Amino acid sequence: MSEAAEQILENTHYRYLVFIGRFQPFHCGHKAVIDEALKRADNVIMLIGSANLPRSLRNPFSVAERAAMIKGAYSAAEAARIHCVGLDDALYNDTRWLQYVQAGVKSVTGDLQADIGLIGHSKDSSSYYLSLFPNWASVSVPNYHNLSATPIRDSYLMGATPTPERTPESTRKVLNDFKKTDEYRNLHEEADFIDKYKRQWESAPYPPTFMTADALIVQSGHILLVERRSMPGRGLWALPGGFLNPKETLFDACIRELREETRLKVPEPVLRGSCHSQHTFDDPYRSARGRTITQAFYFQLKNDPKGLPKVKGGDDAATAFWLPLAELDATMMFEDHYAIITKMVGL
């Protein structure tokens, strides 16, 4: 792009500028981007990612709480120009995520052909989305003091109080209020658990990578799930699965963990013969415990007029149960297991 063209782009005023992020939590770096957007556009659309997920160490705050952090940092007149919209994740499916973004923007603009631009800065590979919307202008802003939400969030969940240098007053108010809740205490307990878990590997010459196997079992429109007994994710629904033993294949690990956690009453030869497909899931942030790659195996069991096979929770599972696929709930699912199911089953 020529210098003249860059100057024109810098001086362009937009009807809408879109800022996509998770804002876990909203910090002064995010605010600097919005400050610039308010100068450059009539309206700012905040697409707040990781919506409709259970609270976790990576996503502790709801969309409503993050919207309060954002709008509370501005005057009433400025806040009226800021539109906060929850954005669902679509891990392992960029096309679906693009659809969610388009729908979120359209819910405000009413028209995807309106004068729309994207604003943000390319801090790392997580900002690759700036190049995914060729029909919208891209407005790049510099990083503000190299601020990142991750260390702010991690220290807060371990008990620290965010400072004014890093977070607006509106964010600190939401965080202080949240700190008084049972939900915070549960996350604080889990953060301490993860901290101790990771300390076991401090002496390793390089960060470890863990390998797990998960079983996705479907019969007659139902999926087999377990309720997690222990941290992390205690009480959440999950696919039966676990860590690979040193002397077993991934498929054998999957069968073993399935048996241990569900006591599924299906003969092993039938189970092995029902494997429909397998897929590797390796999002770098999929597990709070560290880099964990899982191999998921999808089993399609034949319909049986006698009903669904009996199951019973065991080992790491508090309970095991069959759930109608129509009742899958992303807000109840552990880590990326909802994304694994939708990817493999095609929901």
Side-chain angles (χ1 to χ4, degrees), residues 23-268:
F23 314 111
Q24 294 273 19
F26 179 69
H27 58 62
C28 291
H30 298 136
K31 186 176 184 301
V33 176
I34 299 178
D35 291 346
E36 181 64 21
L38 288 170
K39 297 175 186 176
R40 302 281 300 273
D42 299 328
N43 299 274
V44 181
I45 301 174
M46 303 293 294
L47 294 185
I48 302 175
S50 298
N52 299 311
L53 293 177
R55 295 190 192 270
S56 66
L57 299 185
R58 181 165 161 78
N59 296 296
F61 309 113
S62 69
V63 169
E65 289 160 346
R66 287 175 279 168
M69 297 177 197
I70 293 165
K71 284 179 151 302
Y74 293 92
S75 68
E78 291 170 325
R81 295 165 54 200
I82 301 172
H83 310 271
C84 294
V85 180
L87 177 66
D88 286 343
D89 285 348
L91 272 179
Y92 316 116
N93 192 330
D94 277 353
T95 301
R96 180 174 291 176
W97 184 77
L98 293 173
Q99 179 186 3
Y100 291 161
V101 171
Q102 293 167 354
V105 171
K106 189 175 181 180
S107 72
V108 177
T109 66
D111 181 7
L112 290 177
Q113 303 305 315
D115 181 20
I116 301 169
L118 279 171
I119 190 167
H121 63 83
S122 299
K123 65 173 184 175
D124 54 33
S125 59
S126 66
S127 301
Y128 75 102
Y129 62 78
L130 290 174
S131 65
L132 295 179
F133 302 92
N135 294 331
W136 296 343
S138 180
V139 178
S140 182
V141 294
N143 197 335
Y144 180 85
H145 296 174
N146 291 317
L147 277 181
S148 169
T150 301
I152 298 172
R153 179 178 67 249
D154 289 349
S155 61
Y156 166 75
L157 292 175
M158 289 295 289
T161 301
T163 63
E165 292 78 18
R166 301 201 291 177
T167 52
E169 181 181 351
S170 56
T171 293
R172 298 196 302 278
K173 181 182 184 307
V174 171
L175 267 58
N176 287 335
D177 289 344
F178 184 60
K179 214 168 193 179
K180 302 170 186 175
T181 66
D182 289 338
E183 291 170 307
Y184 172 84
R185 284 186 279 274
N186 290 336
L187 289 174
H188 176 65
E189 182 183 3
E190 188 161 303
D192 184 62
F193 169 84
I194 291 295
D195 181 65
K196 291 176 180 175
Y197 183 91
K198 289 183 174 181
R199 287 180 188 275
Q200 299 176 73
W201 311 100
E202 280 184 334
S203 59
Y206 47 81
T209 296
F210 304 102
M211 193 73 212
T212 61
D214 289 304
L216 199 168
I217 313 285
V218 172
Q219 179 175 326
S220 303
H222 289 68
I223 186 168
L224 179 56
L225 299 176
V226 298
E227 178 187 331
R228 290 185 59 82
R229 184 191 303 276
S230 307
M231 292 186 291
R234 182 171 53 202
L236 294 178
W237 300 345
L239 296 170
F243 290 96
L244 180 71
N245 283 340
K247 295 183 179 180
E248 65 182 350
T249 66
L250 285 164
F251 192 45
D252 286 345
C254 175
I255 298 294
R256 174 182 55 76
E257 287 286 348
L258 174 64
R259 292 291 194 200
E260 291 174 356
E261 294 191 352
T262 72
R263 306 290 193 266
L264 177 64
K265 296 295 185 181
V266 173
E268 186 162 324

